[in-house]
Amino acid sequence: FQDFSSGFFINNRLIVVFPVDGPGGSGAVVQWNPNQGPWTVRGLYVASSAFNANKNNGPFPGIPGGFLSDPYQGSVELEYASTFGAEDQNNFAVRLQYTNSTTIDIAQNAGGLNFELSLGQFGLFGRYGYSSAKIYGIGSTVDGLGGFDLSEIVPVGYSQNFTAQTWMAGLGYRDLWLEGSFLAGAVGQPFINDLPSGPGVNNSTQTNYELFYRIPVSDNISLTPVFMAITNANNIAGNAPIFQGLVRTTFSF
């Protein structure tokens, strides 16, 4: 996931919520890997505005923050990772995740599943997330999940229970044409939900696409051309497709 350019393909936005991941924050992480075996347990708590233990003006205007207040997330993850095949040339990993968060007046409990599998030069990977959530209408134009404006769906002063799902899947191939290169692509939908819809509001499902090819220039430098596309942006059918291309240079030391 580290080679993707889109935040959606890097993180599960129901598990790693944008109002915490985007501006950053403060917190603590613990990790336990018994006997350096295949099982690993991780836990974290992060507050986006941790400089005050009380509600305060956090990174979003008009939205309260604080160490024990919105926006925050607490997460746990159970991972099983192992190798197999001749000389352990292949690897397999599965991660079960859970997040409790309150972000921009959206409270949620979310579960996630990540997997990755390599078979020689070929690999496949993906994730799925499901959230049971509640949004409080505050008239904010900033959402609490990542990339979606929900202010027109729930009127100010009201609340709405909803469920959300997200998924992505991709393929990768190493050493194509050049040793040390990596070609990969993925497709996914970040925010499938059962919130109310209407003309021009939540009447479709956004779909993201990304394709990249990492080219090694030297042991420390690589170039990565990237192509990205989004259809039905912000879950609105009338939005035109978005296309973006870039070339990323990475220096590794």
Side-chain angles (χ1 to χ4, degrees), residues 15 25 52 81 95 129 135 151 153 163 166 192 201 217 238 253:
I15 298 298
N52 192 319
R95 302 174 186 90
I135 178 174
S151 58
I153 296 176
T163 62
T166 183
I192 307 167
V201 180
V217 178
F253 300 97

Side-chain angles (χ1 to χ4, degrees), residues 49 56-66 70-71 103-105 138 140-142:
S49 301
N56 59 80
N57 290 325
F60 302 98
I63 304 300
D70 181 352
T103 51
I104 320 303
D105 283 276
I138 59 173
S140 172
T141 59
V142 182

Side-chain angles (χ1 to χ4, degrees), residues 1 16 18 20 26 45 54 81 83-84 87 102 126 134-135 147 150 157-158 160 188 194-196 210 233 240 242 250:
F1 299 109
V16 183
F18 178 76
V20 174
S26 300
Y45 179 90
N54 301 310
T83 58
F84 63 96
E87 298 180 352
T102 298
K134 185 173 186 176
I135 178 174
L150 306 179
Y158 290 83
Q160 175 78 47
D194 60 0
L195 284 163
E210 184 169 340
I242 300 171
T250 305

Side-chain angles (χ1 to χ4, degrees), residues 63-218:
I63 304 300
F67 177 64
L68 300 175
S69 189
D70 181 352
Y72 78 87
Q73 79 167 74
S75 301
V76 293
E77 178 179 79
L78 174 64
E79 175 188 84
Y80 179 84
S82 185
T83 58
F84 63 96
E87 298 180 352
D88 292 332
Q89 63 181 3
N90 303 315
N91 66 68
F92 173 74
V94 176
R95 302 174 186 90
L96 296 176
Q97 303 159 323
Y98 167 77
T99 286
N100 173 269
S101 66
T102 298
T103 51
I104 320 303
D105 283 276
I106 295 179
Q108 69 151 354
N109 290 284
L113 170 67
N114 281 23
F115 77 91
E116 53 193 59
L117 170 68
S118 73
L119 298 169
Q121 294 174 265
F122 176 78
L124 59 96
F125 48 87
R127 72 167 65 98
Y128 172 78
Y130 179 88
S131 173
S132 176
K134 185 173 186 176
I135 178 174
Y136 299 88
I138 59 173
S140 172
T141 59
V142 182
D143 79 293
L145 293 174
F148 296 88
D149 181 4
L150 306 179
S151 58
E152 296 184 35
I153 296 176
V154 181
V156 177
Y158 290 83
S159 63
Q160 175 78 47
N161 293 316
F162 70 96
T163 62
Q165 299 178 71
T166 183
W167 68 271
M168 66 87 70
L171 302 172
Y173 195 87
R174 296 187 182 278
D175 302 329
L176 178 65
W177 299 311
L178 291 171
E179 185 177 355
S181 67
F182 186 46
L183 173 70
V187 60
Q189 295 180 313
F191 190 49
I192 307 167
N193 67 86
D194 60 0
L195 284 163
S197 61
V201 180
N202 201 44
N203 60 358
S204 186
T205 300
Q206 175 176 314
T207 304
N208 290 46
Y209 307 85
E210 184 169 340
L211 178 69
F212 69 82
Y213 181 55
R214 188 182 68 209
I215 305 168
V217 178
S218 69

